[in-house]
Amino acid sequence: MAIICFDIGGSFIKGAVARAADDISPLPPRPTPLEDFEAFVATLIGVIAATGIRPQRIALSITGVIDPETGVATVANIPCIHGRTLAADLEAVLGVDVLIANDADCFALAEAGLGAGRGHAIVLGAILGSGVGGGLVVDGRLVNENGGFAGEWGHGPALPFFAGDPPVAIPAYECACGQRRCVNTVGGARGMERLHLEIHRTELSSKEIVTRWLAGDVDAARTIEIYVDLIASPLALAVNITGASIVPVGGGLSNSAPLISRIDETVRQRTLRRFSRPLVVPSGLTVEPGLTGAALLGLGTQA
């Protein structure tokens, strides 16, 4: 069996030929057409043609979500596929089955099958990148195989009005999803920077905040304390609800092992199940997890 998988980003389309979980061959990336659907399709066709094979299936990882009832795609950063019944539209042109999943879902599937979640029945993948994302895999299968929002612990009005010790007031930041007090508003890199500015009236990048925290800077330490306090309870609740026994973390903030360790310690203090070993852990896959997850989705590989 051979499938072709794609990781569709706002800048580039990355492709690969996958024959098995341990046989995934990346292809050269191509620029993503943002405004022209015909050009978008032509890019996919060009990648497929370059492989010289007739795939049995195509699987896509996208930075958006598929409505499980209508099949309509919400992909804000790629206007030409936003609002389309994307799988059906692509199948009509390409003539093969098309599977589509959110990039955080593909991350979770990759971690469950080949990464830090291997051997766990329930894996909650968490993304701490520019914002917050998540995906859920149960018994080796992606819960959102047909689209949906399972595992998206970063959205919903879940933030408290105060955090830290001593407590500070947390503004009701508006989220891109249209709600307020979403974990997404403070949980990613931009959220950490927003918190630091709110607390200390000083602009720093998330990388600078983490670096200063590790160097013993008092202001940065205060920001990290409040940041961890804010995201730990929603993440612990997500663990309670899903029954996840491992939470691999991806995204830029996952590059700081001390930060992930601090989050893990705090989350484990707040979960119903008491874990004597790390629960929130850095991702096991550091290269192309979205593309790998799309490959596993297309192959139908059990984690």
Side-chain angles (χ1 to χ4, degrees):
M1 177 180 183
I3 66 110
I4 294 179
C5 53
F6 293 94
D7 185 2
I8 311 294
S11 298
F12 292 99
I13 293 176
K14 300 174 184 178
V17 177
R19 294 180 173 83
D22 58 354
D23 185 4
I24 303 172
S25 303
L27 303 166
R30 303 192 181 195
T32 304
L34 298 179
E35 304 289 344
D36 187 337
F37 184 67
E38 290 185 0
F40 180 87
V41 172
T43 300
L44 300 187
I45 291 174
V47 172
I48 296 168
T51 68
I53 67 171
R54 171 71 176 176
Q56 293 174 270
R57 187 178 300 129
I58 292 173
L60 279 70
S61 167
I62 62 170
T63 56
V65 67
I66 302 296
D67 187 298
E69 294 185 358
T70 65
V72 172
T74 299
V75 191
N77 66 332
I78 307 177
C80 72
I81 62 176
H82 177 72
R84 284 184 171 272
T85 51
L86 187 57
D89 291 354
L90 291 176
E91 287 174 351
V93 177
L94 302 177
V96 295
D97 290 340
V98 176
L99 300 177
I100 304 174
N102 170 265
D103 54 354
D105 290 334
C106 286
F107 166 80
L109 188 58
E111 286 296 315
L114 300 171
R118 197 165 190 174
H120 290 263
I122 303 177
V123 178
L124 176 65
I127 301 295
L128 297 177
S130 297
V132 175
L136 185 63
V137 176
V138 178
D139 292 332
R141 300 202 70 86
L142 183 65
V143 171
N144 289 337
E145 274 190 354
N146 296 314
F149 299 86
E152 287 291 354
W153 67 284
H155 293 278
L159 292 183
F161 287 79
F162 295 89
D165 184 18
V168 297
I170 305 301
Y173 297 118
E174 185 173 353
C175 183
C177 74
Q179 300 190 83
R180 293 181 179 272
R181 295 197 175 277
C182 289
V183 180
N184 184 63
T185 64
V186 299
R190 304 292 83 79
M192 181 185 288
E193 293 160 3
R194 171 185 277 172
L195 279 175
H196 193 80
L197 179 60
E198 178 73 28
I199 299 164
H200 304 296
R201 302 303 174 188
T202 302
E203 288 192 32
L204 291 176
S205 69
S206 59
K207 184 176 181 179
E208 289 173 321
I209 295 168
V210 172
T211 299
R212 292 190 183 197
W213 165 55
L214 295 174
D217 180 84
V218 174
D219 286 352
R222 176 68 164 150
T223 298
I224 295 298
E225 176 214 348
I226 293 169
Y227 170 84
V228 172
D229 188 26
L230 283 168
I231 71 169
S233 291
L235 188 51
L237 180 61
V239 170
N240 288 347
I241 291 171
T242 62
S245 58
I246 197 75
V247 183
V249 183
L253 291 177
S254 70
N255 293 327
S256 172
L259 178 62
I260 299 305
S261 178
R262 177 66 61 86
I263 295 170
D264 172 60
E265 292 169 2
T266 308
V267 169
R268 283 194 285 136
Q269 293 170 4
R270 302 181 185 184
T271 53
L272 189 60
R273 177 183 174 184
R274 295 302 183 183
F275 293 87
S276 60
R277 44 83 179 169
L279 168 67
V280 182
V281 299
S283 59
L285 298 175
T286 57
V287 179
E288 304 293 359
L291 195 58
T292 300
L296 297 184
L297 178 69
L299 290 167
T301 301
Q302 299 295 303

